[in-house]
Amino acid sequence: MGHIAASLFTTVDGSAERPDQWHFPYFDEAMGKAVDRHTDRCEAYLMGRVLHDQWSQYWPGNDTDEFADFINPIPKYVLSTTLESSDWSGTTVLHDLDEVRALKERTEGTIGMSGSLATVRSLLEAGLLDELVLLVDPIVVSGERRWTDELGRAPLELVSSEALPTGVLHLVYRPARTG
């Protein structure tokens, strides 16, 4: 059975909507290695509709960034109730959480994610998210959606933590075992 691991760039106040506005001053070699550890283990990649729509316009045909070498050939899945198909090579549309559950059951290894806030919340609430990787930038950003918005109670267990040289915290959580 597969393992779904989501990675989010976020801030001290949980903002995660527009990391392009505040994140890059903190992206250094150490963070690059943390991101690589996440992507290097992925057998597939899951995203929500918004991220799919952004990335499917940018990454195909991009040959100037190493991430393109990762994201373009990997099997990709987009969770959407409105998207019927994708022109992005290797992309399959999943229409509900039952299809995500089936994907998880038939996939060996890690199904990675990044961004896709609503999808991360849905998976966490449905018990389908196995790991949450947070890269917490040392900044407060007001007025953005937070990754926790509209999320109910979700107890987590800390798996590992590391302070990076730029002050970013690299935190790895898994859902807390209950009972």
Side-chain angles (χ1 to χ4, degrees):
M1 178 181 280
H3 172 93
I4 299 178
S7 179
L8 299 175
F9 298 132
T10 187
T11 65
V12 171
D13 65 335
S15 295
E17 183 178 14
R18 294 186 308 264
D20 60 307
Q21 302 295 311
W22 42 261
H23 174 68
F24 292 104
Y26 303 103
F27 199 100
D28 65 353
E29 183 178 341
M31 184 178 292
K33 288 180 181 179
V35 170
D36 287 347
R37 284 192 301 271
H38 177 71
T39 57
D40 287 351
R41 64 189 173 145
C42 295
E43 301 296 324
Y45 220 70
L46 175 65
M47 62 194 87
R49 169 74 185 259
V50 173
L51 187 64
H52 166 270
D53 288 353
Q54 293 168 349
W55 283 12
S56 67
Q57 297 303 307
Y58 182 78
W59 289 113
N62 182 316
D63 58 5
T64 61
D65 191 302
E66 289 179 23
F67 190 72
D69 296 335
F70 161 76
I71 198 64
N72 285 320
I74 197 167
K76 294 170 286 296
Y77 299 87
V78 56
L79 179 60
S80 175
T81 58
T82 57
L83 187 67
E84 291 301 318
S85 63
S86 173
D87 293 333
W88 193 4
S89 178
T91 301
T92 302
V93 178
L94 306 176
H95 295 100
D96 57 39
L97 293 175
D98 287 335
E99 291 185 22
V100 174
R101 190 172 285 108
L103 169 67
K104 196 173 162 177
E105 288 173 1
R106 70 177 179 265
T107 302
E108 291 296 322
T110 299
I111 303 164
M113 293 183 65
S114 63
S116 302
L117 305 181
T119 302
V120 168
R121 288 189 298 263
S122 294
L123 295 176
L124 191 55
E125 287 179 331
L128 292 171
L129 188 68
D130 299 291
E131 185 176 297
L132 178 63
V133 178
L134 299 176
L135 290 156
V136 183
D137 292 347
I139 186 171
V140 172
V141 179
S142 299
E144 274 194 20
R145 287 185 332 174
R146 295 182 308 258
W147 71 270
T148 57
D149 287 348
E150 302 171 30
L151 180 65
R153 181 176 292 238
L156 302 171
E157 291 178 0
L158 183 64
V159 174
S160 65
S161 63
E162 176 186 14
L164 303 181
T166 58
V168 170
L169 294 178
H170 178 218
L171 307 171
V172 179
Y173 290 97
R174 67 175 165 237
R177 293 180 179 90
T178 56

